[in-house]
Amino acid sequence: MGKAKPRHKKNRRHNITQPTGIPSVKEAELEESEFSVPESDKDISIDKIIEEINSPTVEERLCGLQSLATLAENPNSVETIIKHKVLKIVAPLLVDGSSEVRNLSAGVLRNLSASGSMQVIEMLVKDDIMTPLISLFHQYNEWNPETAKAEDSDTLLQLVNLLWNLCETDETALKHFNSANILNLLLRCLNYQTVGLDLCITVCQCLNSVSEDNTIIASALRHHESDFLKILTVTSSDQRLLLLKTLAAGIVVNLNPSSPWLEAVVATLSETLEADVHQQICQLSSQMPLDSSTQLSEDVSTQLKNVQTLVDAQVMALEILANLISSQDDE
């Protein structure tokens, strides 16, 4: 599932006293005593965040959301966030009057939904996040990627990721999506040259998820099958485009496992699987710093992302092939 980059990254603590990188028992105890926060202090901290989020002042709402984003980076804090019903307070901020608040709240909710906690997803849906989420999507009906502010476009990216995370794991969220009338907006994002690869890929990830075993969405998407077939014809060795093409292939299969375009689908999957990820990993490993505390160069970071993208594409290609074989066996 998709996760937004936090605005402020915590510096990772690197242990250099142990050759294995594993702290000793004594060091672990010291670190625990240094960073453990009493439950009462957690409550005070979360109470402060709630107070700021509820503030009539935009600056304080932003401050509260940023504090929540920092708190949410720690998986152990998710339970505290749920306990204090913070999700129910943040969800309405998706339709806040401030574009900055909308952007930050969408990013925070996206990250929380991608935390791996099913309880977060369940609570978000139970607290009716779909109402403000869909309402904000409808505000993008007149959105023009060529003239829109970068912040508004980024908010849309966060929203699609959030929608994807919710619908992928919750049937109620999927039912809301089926009747939300936002499919046309997502379909407008299939031109990666206009909206950018990041948004186009995320939209296809979402559509690939919601169209699987979903006759309502699959039926609607069949009228736009040519848009996905067009993506299959793109020629490029760019890993992100390979991922996009693989996603499009998955959507075509979801629409009809016996599609007359299966030859094009299989050709796309073959192209993805033929990419030599092993060679790229070897090249990358030779450039990785020996000292794990050394910050990666921009070039190495880009290569690392490219390798991860290619791995994601190849895993998906294998899943699609497995589903195709399974559907053929069923027939």
Side-chain angles (χ1 to χ4, degrees), residues 40-331:
S40 59
D41 288 347
K42 286 182 182 178
D43 290 345
I44 293 172
S45 174
I46 203 75
D47 286 344
K48 178 65 174 175
I49 289 174
I50 292 172
E51 179 184 344
E52 290 178 335
I53 290 175
N54 282 322
S55 170
T57 306
V58 170
E59 288 73 16
E60 288 196 7
R61 293 202 296 278
L62 289 171
C63 183
L65 286 169
Q66 187 60 67
S67 298
L68 178 61
T70 302
L71 183 66
E73 289 177 21
N74 180 0
N76 296 327
S77 299
V78 173
E79 186 176 339
T80 302
I81 292 170
I82 294 173
K83 171 187 171 184
H84 288 79
K85 304 184 185 303
V86 181
L87 300 174
K88 190 171 186 176
I89 302 171
V90 176
L93 295 183
L94 289 173
V95 288
D96 191 271
S98 164
S99 61
E100 289 181 274
V101 172
R102 293 195 299 270
N103 179 257
L104 188 49
S105 60
V108 170
L109 290 169
R110 170 193 174 179
N111 283 355
L112 283 167
S113 70
S115 66
S117 170
M118 284 297 298
Q119 193 176 2
V120 169
I121 299 290
E122 291 170 1
M123 289 302 297
L124 283 170
V125 176
K126 181 181 177 182
D127 291 338
D128 194 26
I129 189 177
M130 297 304 291
T131 296
L133 177 61
I134 292 170
S135 177
L136 183 51
F137 266 117
H138 286 159
Q139 292 182 29
Y140 279 85
N141 285 337
E142 303 301 323
W143 175 72
N144 183 339
E146 296 179 343
T147 59
K149 294 192 302 181
E151 183 179 63
D152 290 336
S153 296
D154 181 70
T155 300
L156 180 58
L157 176 64
Q158 310 306 326
L159 291 178
V160 178
N161 271 287
L162 174 57
L163 179 68
W164 170 31
N165 294 344
L166 293 169
C167 292
E168 190 173 46
T169 52
D170 190 274
E171 286 294 325
T172 301
L174 187 58
K175 289 177 181 177
H176 277 283
F177 174 79
N178 286 349
S179 59
N181 194 28
I182 58 176
L183 192 58
N184 285 337
L185 169 62
L186 298 181
L187 290 169
R188 284 167 49 201
C189 299
L190 293 180
N191 186 340
Y192 70 90
Q193 293 175 319
T194 302
V195 304
L197 262 176
D198 287 342
L199 180 56
C200 187
I201 287 173
T202 303
V203 164
C204 284
Q205 285 170 323
C206 182
L207 292 177
N208 183 54
S209 176
V210 299
S211 62
E212 186 175 2
D213 299 324
N214 186 343
T215 55
I216 295 175
I217 297 301
S219 177
L221 288 179
R222 286 192 190 102
H223 298 291
H224 304 272
E225 188 177 38
S226 60
D227 293 329
F228 302 106
L229 293 172
K230 184 178 179 180
I231 293 175
L232 298 186
T233 65
V234 174
T235 304
S236 175
S237 59
D238 185 309
Q239 284 87 345
R240 292 195 299 164
L241 279 172
L242 279 178
L243 175 58
L244 179 61
K245 292 175 65 174
T246 306
L247 288 163
I251 294 169
V252 171
V253 171
N254 286 346
L255 302 187
N256 182 6
S258 302
S259 170
W261 307 106
L262 281 185
E263 185 175 342
V265 167
V266 173
T268 296
L269 301 180
S270 297
E271 179 187 0
T272 299
L273 293 172
E274 286 170 1
D276 194 344
V277 68
H278 181 265
Q279 181 185 20
Q280 293 188 35
I281 291 174
C282 289
Q283 291 175 348
L284 177 62
S285 62
S286 66
Q287 299 179 54
M288 295 290 285
L290 296 177
D291 185 354
S292 60
S293 64
T294 302
Q295 186 174 0
L296 298 180
S297 67
E298 185 175 344
D299 181 57
V300 172
S301 295
T302 299
Q303 289 185 55
L304 187 60
K305 291 177 183 177
N306 288 339
V307 169
Q308 181 61 61
T309 299
L310 180 55
V311 170
D312 290 343
Q314 292 189 334
V315 169
M316 176 160 292
L318 290 172
E319 291 175 350
I320 296 169
L321 283 173
N323 289 337
L324 277 174
I325 294 171
S326 176
S327 65
Q328 295 295 326
D329 289 343
D330 291 341
E331 293 177 2

